[in-house]
Amino acid sequence: MFAKACERVYKFTRPLIISTRTVDGTVSSSCGTFIIINPEGWILTAGHLFDSFVKYQQDMKKIKEVEEINARKASMAVPGAMTLPDTIQPDPKWITNHSFWWGGDGLRITSVYVNREIDIALAKLDGFRPDMVQEYPIFRDPDTMRPGTSICRTGFPFANIATDFDEGSKSFRIRNGVLPLPFFPNDGIHTRNVLKQNKSKEGNYDMLYVETSTPGLKGQSGGPIFDTNGHIYAMQVQTNHIPLGFHPISEYDGKSIVENQFLNVGIGVHGKLLQQIMRDHHISFKVEGDSSEEEQYIINE
């Protein structure tokens, strides 16, 4: 059902690899997904993928403060004293280095807008060329979106992401064998519309989301939820766990264990909200039914 749709969506969907290094030298990496919207290099992804970068900025301020305090203490030390002033040690888990890898080398982002409340981010890729994408996305007409519609999502879960930090260049390197990352689609239906609250604090937007019958997986955040035509329906941002009210009892090592049962459902930012935010930021995109825009954005192979 979604074979042709996936072929279309894969052309403008890319992995985002996030790498961090902490004071104690620990290197960690994770993966998300982003959508390239138009030939200008604008991208759409989940706002929570920027959380580690926000922490990095906060931690670097703390590290600088610690260094300044220790420097003042050292300057106040009495010459010839047997003991030196106690120094403050930074938290071993403070982030000292951070990196985003936007699906290819030499790409970085500018003009970033992050709305963490809605969980959306818009950014422009610096170093992007229009011929890097063979076909750009078409967004579903929001007026035609209704529960019961067959949908699919994709991204890069189950990938063994590993990076190393090069002390010489002070940069991260993706380990051999990690790339290319395989896509993983999972289908379902549009179950319900979810209105989290009346209006967002920023932009006065309706907090409208699409609930899906299947869960979003780690690595699919920021990725497209699309219909059988490959048109963007929503953007994956969260998975909810709905209690089913069933409490079966299982025996483990002679003990009775109550197991609560849940239905895992995906949550995506509704296409109507995505389009409203993009329009407010003067970002061009295609909507189904606009044949002139569709022809304009398709790049010849």
Side-chain angles (χ1 to χ4, degrees):
M1 179 185 295
F2 288 101
K4 290 184 178 179
C6 284
E7 288 179 358
R8 186 173 206 176
V9 169
Y10 291 171
K11 294 178 181 178
F12 49 77
T13 304
R14 300 288 188 273
L16 167 60
I17 295 179
I18 305 168
S19 301
T20 61
R21 179 175 179 265
T22 53
V23 170
D24 62 6
T26 301
V27 175
S28 303
S29 54
S30 60
C31 184
T33 306
F34 68 97
I35 305 163
I36 303 176
I37 301 169
N38 61 31
E40 297 172 359
W42 281 98
I43 65 103
L44 178 68
T45 191
H48 70 260
L49 296 179
F50 284 80
D51 287 355
S52 62
F53 182 71
V54 173
K55 185 179 185 302
Y56 161 69
Q57 292 178 312
Q58 295 170 344
D59 290 351
M60 289 303 293
K61 290 181 181 179
K62 296 175 184 176
I63 291 172
K64 183 178 179 181
E65 290 174 358
V66 168
E67 291 175 346
E68 291 174 348
I69 292 172
N70 288 338
R72 286 198 299 269
K73 286 186 175 183
S75 67
M76 296 172 62
V78 178
M82 297 298 294
T83 59
L84 296 175
D86 292 335
T87 58
I88 301 174
Q89 298 300 316
D91 188 320
K93 295 305 177 183
W94 284 349
I95 299 175
T96 59
N97 303 88
H98 188 282
S99 172
F100 287 127
W101 186 79
W102 295 97
D105 295 335
L107 296 175
R108 62 185 184 89
I109 56 171
T110 60
S111 305
V112 182
Y113 165 77
V114 178
N115 189 315
R116 189 61 180 84
E117 182 185 18
I118 295 173
D119 206 356
I120 183 176
L122 293 167
K124 191 173 185 180
L125 290 176
D126 184 40
F128 178 80
R129 302 187 315 274
D131 61 0
M132 290 179 173
V133 174
Q134 297 174 353
E135 183 178 346
Y136 290 88
I138 299 173
F139 287 79
R140 173 86 173 232
D141 181 353
D143 292 337
T144 68
M145 295 172 58
R146 61 187 187 274
T149 302
S150 293
I151 49 85
C152 186
R153 73 167 56 73
T154 195
F156 305 92
F158 312 124
N160 185 19
I161 306 297
T163 59
D164 297 304
F165 186 75
D166 186 337
E167 289 285 356
S169 62
K170 300 296 182 183
S171 60
F172 293 92
R173 296 286 184 268
I174 301 172
R175 290 183 185 175
N176 291 334
V178 171
L179 301 176
L181 297 180
F183 287 96
F184 187 95
N186 57 328
D187 68 335
I189 64 170
H190 174 182
T191 51
R192 297 181 294 188
N193 290 325
V194 177
L195 188 62
K196 290 192 174 182
Q197 61 188 54
N198 290 332
K199 296 289 182 180
S200 66
K201 296 177 182 178
E202 179 184 343
N204 205 30
Y205 296 113
D206 290 325
M207 302 279 284
L208 185 60
Y209 298 81
V210 168
E211 181 189 78
T212 65
S213 60
T214 52
L217 307 171
K218 290 183 178 180
Q220 290 180 327
S221 289
I225 298 173
F226 52 96
D227 63 15
T228 54
N229 292 315
H231 294 174
I232 304 297
Y233 202 91
M235 180 186 70
Q236 172 64 33
V237 292
Q238 185 181 352
T239 291
N240 283 349
H241 314 287
I242 303 175
L244 294 177
F246 305 142
H247 310 285
I249 298 177
S250 300
E251 296 289 334
Y252 293 99
D253 296 329
K255 296 181 180 180
S256 297
I257 306 296
V258 177
E259 296 184 341
N260 295 313
Q261 301 294 304
F262 298 88
L263 176 66
N264 300 314
V265 297
I267 299 293
V269 181
H270 197 286
K272 181 178 181 180
L273 181 54
L274 295 176
Q275 294 177 38
Q276 184 180 359
I277 293 174
M278 287 190 292
R279 287 192 179 98
D280 287 349
H281 286 81
H282 309 290
I283 297 172
S284 60
F285 60 94
K286 297 179 296 181
V287 179
E288 63 181 3
D290 190 343
S291 59
S292 61
E293 287 291 313
E294 181 175 347
E295 293 173 358
Q296 177 185 354
Y297 281 5
I298 294 178
I299 306 300
N300 293 326
E301 298 184 15

